[in-house]
Amino acid sequence: MPTDAPTETRRGRRTRVLKITGLSLAGLLVLGAGAAGWAYWQLNDNITSVDINSALGDDRPARAVAAPSPDASAPPPPTESLNILVLGSDSRSGEENQALGGGDSGGARSDTAMVVHLDAGRTAATVVSIPRDTLVDRPSCPLPDGGSTRPVSGAMFNSAYEVGGPVCAVKTVESLTDVRMDHYIEIDFAGFARLVDALGGVTVTTDEDIDDDRSHLTLEAGTHHLDGTDALALARTRYAIGDGSDLGRIGLQHQLVKALLEQIADQDLLTSPTELYEVADAVTGSLTTDTGLDSFGELMSLGQSLRGLSSDGVTTLTMPVLPAPWDRNRVVADEPDAGELWASLR
């Protein structure tokens, strides 16, 4: 019986097409996995970390514990509360930081300091700013070379970072608050500006005109959509608002925190890998963390735990302070109010 040659030819052709298609799909999957692996490695490699736990040892405030459930049969809270020290540094390293106001290459200070308290359910957060002009008793801090800084009474709070880096910043905050800092996150000028740009800018409303020749920002009172450079300038504006103190600047920074949370929520970055990578790549190169948050996976895990947190669930406060009796340009903690605030975060 004669063979149906055209039919066999078509079958052979289909088989070859299926093989080629299968190989192509396999190749795309391999390339996609390779690209994802490269992106993950790249983001991890961007992050600088400091082993704060090893440096400070056990002589620290106790870690927070989960509050017991009122119903013994109910499941425990999803996690313990967390306290994170977030610093914005005026790093002078790199041309980008210098162009944005970091100055020369002589060092860095903690330009902004916030203790971020996340509740056990991750549905509420309290952000407490510590004015950089606060006078504190700065403890002795370990240095990488095995030495230590000397303790100083009545030191400027932001000098801790300058003399001892992240380790001394954390130790000074813990000494001031008696609250354990579970994590540490630091971002410099360039990283903050790139973050805002990667998010497409940020919308804020100012109650008064701003014309600050030091931060190089001029804005009329009203609502503005700012790019990264102007958002950074707003975060640094001090002398053109209120009484020119650091407290007025902190108010602007709190506005920016809430506006950025709203911008992130609107974009829903956790469901858009491309946008998430762009934002993560923009910021991780300027990020320093403790070793518990020094991978993209750990940062993502923290971010995913905050999916239920909206800007309405964030309370922004400033540590209660009053003018220092011996220096009206500086402030000291206003007790007992300051102590009661910190006790509420333990």
Side-chain angles (χ1 to χ4, degrees), residues 42-108:
Q42 178 70 23
L43 293 173
N44 279 350
D45 194 54
N46 283 349
I47 302 169
T48 300
S49 66
V50 178
D51 191 352
I52 291 173
N53 287 337
S54 293
L56 294 184
D58 297 327
D59 186 18
R60 303 174 66 186
R63 294 184 185 277
V65 295
S69 171
D71 180 0
S73 64
T79 185
E80 298 174 351
S81 62
L82 283 180
N83 290 301
I84 305 172
L85 177 60
V86 178
L87 291 190
S89 73
D90 63 348
S91 172
R92 286 127 164 99
S93 63
E95 292 182 3
E96 193 173 1
N97 277 318
Q98 292 179 38
L100 289 168
D104 59 31
S105 58

Side-chain angles (χ1 to χ4, degrees), residues 272-290:
S272 175
T274 301
E275 291 185 9
L276 176 62
Y277 176 80
E278 290 176 356
V279 171
D281 189 48
V283 70
T284 51
S286 299
L287 205 64
T288 300
T289 71
D290 66 285

Side-chain angles (χ1 to χ4, degrees), residues 3 11-12 41 71 78 94 109 116 124 128 140 145 148 159 166 171 185 208 217 235 240 303 314 316 319 332:
T3 302
R11 287 176 180 169
W41 174 86
D71 180 0
R109 294 159 298 184
V116 179
V128 184
S140 174
D145 63 5
S148 61
S159 69
K171 186 167 185 180
I185 297 175
E208 58 184 296
L217 181 68
V314 178
T316 54
M319 181 183 76
V332 293

Side-chain angles (χ1 to χ4, degrees), residues 160-245:
Y161 182 93
E162 188 174 14
V163 302
V167 170
C168 198
V170 169
K171 186 167 185 180
T172 300
V173 169
E174 291 184 344
S175 175
L176 173 67
T177 66
D178 197 28
V179 176
R180 171 75 168 242
M181 296 297 110
D182 301 292
H183 290 298
Y184 172 85
I185 297 175
E186 174 195 330
I187 188 168
D188 63 20
F189 282 179
F192 179 81
R194 285 199 299 265
L195 169 62
V196 173
D197 284 336
L199 290 171
V202 63
T203 300
V204 296
T205 299
T206 59
D207 298 327
E208 58 184 296
D209 295 343
I210 295 175
D211 187 10
D212 192 330
D213 58 357
R214 300 198 188 196
S215 67
H216 308 294
L217 181 68
T218 301
L219 288 178
E220 294 182 354
T223 300
H224 303 273
H225 191 74
L226 306 179
D227 64 10
T229 300
D230 284 343
L232 175 64
L234 184 67
R236 300 186 65 220
T237 292
R238 170 176 182 172
Y239 297 100
I241 56 170
D243 61 1
S245 73

